Amino acid sequence: MCRERLSAAARACGLKTDFYFENISAAARIAKRFVPCGKLLLIADEEDAGIALALRGAFAGFQVYSVVSGKENVGQGLFSLPDDLRAVVAVGGRSIAAARFFCTLRGAYLVAVPNRFGASELLALSAGDGYPVNEPDAVLFDVAFVGGKGRADGVAVAALSALYAEDIDVDGVFSGERKDGCHETLRQSAKLAERGAEELFCALCMQETALRRFSGYPSRAFYHLLSGKGGHPDGECAFAALFYSLERYGALFGRGKPRAYFVPDYAARAALAAKYIGEAAYENVRVPSAKESFARTELFEECRAHFCVSAQILGGYADKIRERYYAAGGKKPRFEVQTLQDAFALSADLSPLTSVAALERDLGIPPHMRGGTYGEKTGSKA
């Protein structure tokens, strides 16, 4: 079932990648689907070099060039290889990143073999430096080869799909525009994150297909701000983003008290956001009129009960994710409460969507304000 859902999500975003769930030895057969013979590059991360090189014998009919990818960037060095090299098999995240860049410029076919749970290096629209790169022609996921590597991180990151879907729901109510094209894919991705290894990998890939269509979620901005602090694995950042967002979500709709006539400093907030996303930050600024502010407050009160229930449902889901995260070896995140508060507040200005953080901003309900509003130190349980 998860394979069919992944294929449907890939087609919906125009992705032409074929996904295979087989033993790593199938890489040669898959490569021959694209190029039956000729020159082929076999590139592998240093820790997987032994396994990859053992595959050389399977590439009968190819002239194989082998490269080991260490921690240094090997991408540019690949361009010393022959111009008529037509296919690449890349094993491991660093090798896949280098191969996507190489294959984009050379027009070669790429078979990507991940060595851990994760999908951003496989399907992200651009390389780390922002250069647009083509997706792999095929992805081969071998559950035995991957084992448990990166599983805890994968569980937490895949669970962010639930937050992104909630972002769509909240924005849909308060803006009147709903991004339905991504919503179902994100909901399915979140559900698959609760299940087995193959389902988790599909969940991560489906999340990436949704992000190829729209990536400006405030929850994703929050997650990236935490990742940018350095020193924290992706899983810890995602785990912290999930549970802190959930706490603020429940607090806003459960105990939030809008302040009449409150006007935030939109200019200062936009200037801070511009340090991260440039001029686009100013496009996200929408200063409501007095009439719009009162209408938003009325709408907030009308839908409060609905979103309280949504927060409770998300809380039950998060409890399941917590269990799976720690069972997979995940570590408890270590973030100062102030760091979480600042990053969450800033996420409102890094996204065009009306979010929980944006409602706190516009309605004057941030937890640090004098007077309590939430009645306790929000973030103490995160």
Side-chain angles (χ1 to χ4, degrees), residues 355-368:
S355 62
V356 169
L359 290 171
E360 289 182 341
R361 175 196 66 198
D362 296 343
L363 300 176
I365 320 179
H368 66 273

Side-chain angles (χ1 to χ4, degrees), residues 102-127:
F102 174 80
C103 291
T104 297
L105 297 184
R106 282 287 188 89
Y109 293 99
L110 172 60
V111 178
V113 185
N115 61 354
R116 59 187 295 111
F117 287 95
S120 60
E121 72 273 11
L122 293 170
L123 302 177
L125 283 168
S126 60

Side-chain angles (χ1 to χ4, degrees), residues 160-173 177-178 183 186-187 214 216-221 245 249 307 344 351 353-357:
L160 292 178
S161 291
L163 282 186
Y164 302 159
E166 292 296 330
D167 287 341
I168 293 174
D169 288 340
V170 173
D171 178 71
V173 169
E177 299 177 1
R178 185 179 174 87
H183 189 267
L186 290 169
R187 287 296 186 196
F214 178 78
Y217 299 102
S219 294
R220 188 165 186 256
S245 296
Y249 188 3
F307 283 115
F344 188 82
S351 170
L353 302 188
T354 301
S355 62
V356 169

Side-chain angles (χ1 to χ4, degrees), residues 86-216:
R86 302 305 301 148
V88 178
V89 174
V91 181
R94 296 190 303 276
S95 297
I96 291 170
R100 288 187 67 189
F101 181 73
F102 174 80
C103 291
T104 297
L105 297 184
R106 282 287 188 89
Y109 293 99
L110 172 60
V111 178
V113 185
N115 61 354
R116 59 187 295 111
F117 287 95
S120 60
E121 72 273 11
L122 293 170
L123 302 177
L125 283 168
S126 60
D129 59 0
Y131 190 91
V133 290
N134 295 338
E135 64 272 15
D137 297 281
V139 171
L140 171 60
F141 180 76
D142 181 350
V143 65
F145 172 59
V146 171
K149 296 190 291 292
R151 184 159 189 165
D153 287 357
V155 168
V157 171
L160 292 178
S161 291
L163 282 186
Y164 302 159
E166 292 296 330
D167 287 341
I168 293 174
D169 288 340
V170 173
D171 178 71
V173 169
F174 287 92
S175 73
E177 299 177 1
R178 185 179 174 87
K179 291 179 170 53
D180 284 318
C182 304
H183 189 267
E184 183 60 25
T185 297
L186 290 169
R187 287 296 186 196
Q188 291 179 357
S189 169
K191 289 179 181 179
L192 290 174
E194 303 178 51
R195 301 177 186 173
E198 184 176 309
E199 289 84 356
L200 175 58
F201 179 72
C202 288
L204 291 162
C205 290
M206 289 174 65
Q207 182 185 98
E208 284 298 324
T209 65
L211 292 175
R212 290 174 71 93
R213 302 175 72 177
F214 178 78
S215 61

